[in-house]
Amino acid sequence: MDNTTLSWPHGPNLRDVSAVVHYRLGEAPHTLRLTEPDRPVQGPGLQALWRREPHGDGYHLWLELTASGDAPVYLETADVLTSPAPDLGAPPAAWRVYQNGWQSWSPAFARHLEGTIYADPGTPEYRAAHQPHWEPDYDGLISSEWVAVLFAPPATALLLSFVTAKDQLAEVRLRADGSELTARCHLDGVPLAPGASLRTETLWLEAGPDPLRLLEAWADGIGREMGARVPSFTPTGWCTWYYFYGENTADDVLDNLRTIADYRLPLDVILIDDGYQTAIGDWFSINTDKFPEGMEPVAEAVRAAGHRLGIWTAPFGAAATSQLFAAHPDWTVRDEAGNPVVGWVHWGVPCYALDCTHPEVLAWLEETFRRMRREWGATFFKIDFLFAAARPGRRYDPTATRAQALRRGVEAIRRAIGDDAFLLGCGAPLGPCIGLVDGMRIGTDVDPNWHPIFRYDLTAASTENALRNSITRAPFHNRLWLNDPDCLLVRQRGPDLDLVLNEMRTLTAVIALLGGLTLNSDNLALIRPGRLKYLRQALPPTGIAARPLDLFEREMPRLLLLPVERDWGRWWVVGAINWEDRTVETTVRLADLGLPPGRYHVFHYWRRRYLGVTDDAVVLRRHQPHETAVLLFKPVSDRPDLLTTTFHVCQGAVEVADCRWDEAHGLLHIALEKAGRQSGEVWLTVPEPWAVVEVRVDGDRRPWVSPAPGLLRVGLTLEGRAEVVARFRRE
Ligand code: 9PG
């Protein structure tokens, strides 16, 4: 093997691999190309070393750069790998490329190089928010942030991924015509002083037959390298945004707080989202039309009711109309002409990007968050529009990259809130936040509509867009942080919600199967109480994400699998999603699920229907538009056993504390445990020669029904704990 080929025993091969550094010395642009690892190459004023180490079955690659002259060099980009597209045994047109978006709301999915749903709205706003490296040569370029997986069916996959992300933004670029594959670190023109050295982020290159496993391995790897924070407890809560959209008053919050108590809803965090402040940046200037007595009494009530107080901010912005900007016009990132750089336009108001390399900005950030914790008792912080801190421009510290500037800002917030507060990133560039945030929004906003009002923008608020990213980024959960799929809406259809029952159940099911943060955002004070049963079926989160099995087959994955294993049993919960606007027939095969061969009971959760036993496949003849069929697969047992409960979408994963079979006495003991109050059913399978004698709930005999031979069902109201004991005899 010569130095410019990277290969794996069973393929693929990367030929003509080199590394390239673009930099300036004075005004003159220079390009340095390296074709051999571990041999220094000298350019005008810059020495470069391309490093390669074996890692797993693959490689780690990075560059070490040293300013070797007597003047600083200005570093633009460092390609730790560039080559023609590799030979994956199939032409690029047949490939699926996992394309990860830049920030929380940016699209992520395994893009089909031909016939894709990907659309680039091409507007300046879209570029500012989603295309951090946009340049005029973007046509025909696929750019993926930090990680890409190239997959040629049936079984050739190549992972190109950065396993460090603190110092430089990094992307994998692929030309759709196959002419170029590049893994690039962005150095943003920072100066390297004479004698100084710098290293790029580390690229991990790996190949294998299973692209989903490679993506999961990357998430494990970068999480480990960057010290990901993965709390063991997954937050639940209620958020003001998706009903009130900022118009909520203090009384609205207090009404919802009371309703949560009255209905005994197991929701912890009360998140006061956007709208309480008079302007972005003026976080202690409370809008007294909405909060007449300020934030304190509301905060006090939230805490007194035993909830965690959550506060939304967009900490790296200063509205053009804010007191903050008026007082500190010098705190913003500047463009070449010296004008403040707009981070984003917030509901019509331009917000300038704060310069997080400025010591006064960092001190102000710390003071702001310390005060929120101290004065309001907030312990949950949703920090939004974080990409503003990484907007291109001039900064106080000219040696800081965009990634470093962003990270310094988030670090200041983490210092201020303490280690025990929950920090939720939103609108956040993903890589530099790893190790600092506890949770991360990984998709666009949910919305009362299924389809976005403006189609062809995969980041437009809509239930469909939010769910897509939550599914395609499911492998990040518990590896980079806890995923936040955005809020669950269960209110009845009407002027405030356009989701039909199947769509609302899909939102509920997917959020429940993905096991991440679970916040409701209805006006609970007005909701029809009957709708709360859906919310309860998603609570609490399991903490574990289902795997999107067909991630690399479909741009909108349809198949989620959550394996559950307890010492008293093992089962699989499947979410089969119909994204089509029409009824389809769907076949779910055991082989596609990777289940061990055997016979399985199948339960159709939302329809509360037992589908019988299969050793092969389940066919859903009328899989309705936007319906998620939640199917339970439970191995057939030769003695009475628990089939399922209807208290949670994951069917036993959270509410069944124990399940014991006492063969000698023919007794099945089931201990149920769940916060709140909820009615539901427990379903049991009763194989021959057993027959049920009686069922008791907390000692009292209960009626039961047999919906099919060999099956029985008992209804009960679960308040905290219940014990179900069924007695059987041999016939
Ligand atoms: C508050 C909201 C909520 C929501 C966040 C974020 O104009 N835009 O492109 C745009 C994108 C996202 C967005 C608002 C506007 O939503 O995701 O949960 O906190 O801010 O303003």
Side-chain angles (χ1 to χ4, degrees), residues 105 129-130 239 241-242 273-274 312 344-347 382 384-385 426-427 441 443-445 459 486:
W105 310 322
H130 302 287
C239 166
W241 185 252
Y242 297 96
D273 209 291
D274 193 5
W312 177 95
W344 78 100
V345 177
H346 198 72
W347 309 111
K382 174 177 176 184
D384 205 345
F385 293 90
C426 188
R441 258 286 286 290
T444 176
D445 292 16
T459 73
D486 208 10

Side-chain angles (χ1 to χ4, degrees), residues 27-46:
E27 288 302 310
H30 293 282
T31 301
L32 209 56
R33 182 172 290 271
L34 298 90
T35 53
E36 259 183 72
D38 302 316
R39 209 175 62 105
V41 169
Q42 184 67 50
L46 183 72

Side-chain angles (χ1 to χ4, degrees), residues 358-373:
H358 198 305
E360 288 170 22
V361 171
L362 294 174
W364 170 83
L365 280 170
E366 278 203 51
E367 177 57 16
T368 300
F369 283 86
R370 270 187 222 290
R371 274 185 72 188
M372 285 185 176
R373 175 133 200 196

Side-chain angles (χ1 to χ4, degrees), residues 576-621:
I577 308 162
N578 177 13
W579 298 107
E580 305 292 324
D581 297 338
R582 59 191 168 82
T583 298
V584 298
E585 183 175 291
T586 297
T587 303
V588 179
R589 292 189 181 77
L590 296 184
D592 293 343
L593 301 174
L595 265 51
R599 301 176 69 235
Y600 294 84
H601 296 288
V602 185
F603 186 73
H604 196 319
Y605 183 74
W606 291 125
R607 299 200 191 176
R608 306 294 192 243
R609 192 179 301 156
Y610 175 67
L611 301 186
V613 171
T614 185
D615 59 2
D616 174 29
V618 175
V619 180
L620 305 167
R621 294 210 188 284

Side-chain angles (χ1 to χ4, degrees), residues 20-32 43-48 65-79 168 185-198 200 336 393-401:
V20 175
V21 184
H22 287 287
Y23 67 103
R24 281 178 296 116
L25 180 60
E27 288 302 310
H30 293 282
T31 301
L32 209 56
L46 183 72
Q47 194 192 70
L65 308 175
T66 305
S68 54
D70 45 21
V73 292
Y74 296 86
L75 303 169
E76 300 293 355
T77 57
D79 297 342
Q168 296 133 30
C185 296
H186 290 269
L187 292 148
D188 311 326
V190 296
L192 194 59
S197 295
L198 161 160
T200 66
E336 293 296 322
R394 295 186 179 281
R395 292 183 166 76
Y396 177 91
D397 176 358
T399 70
T401 61

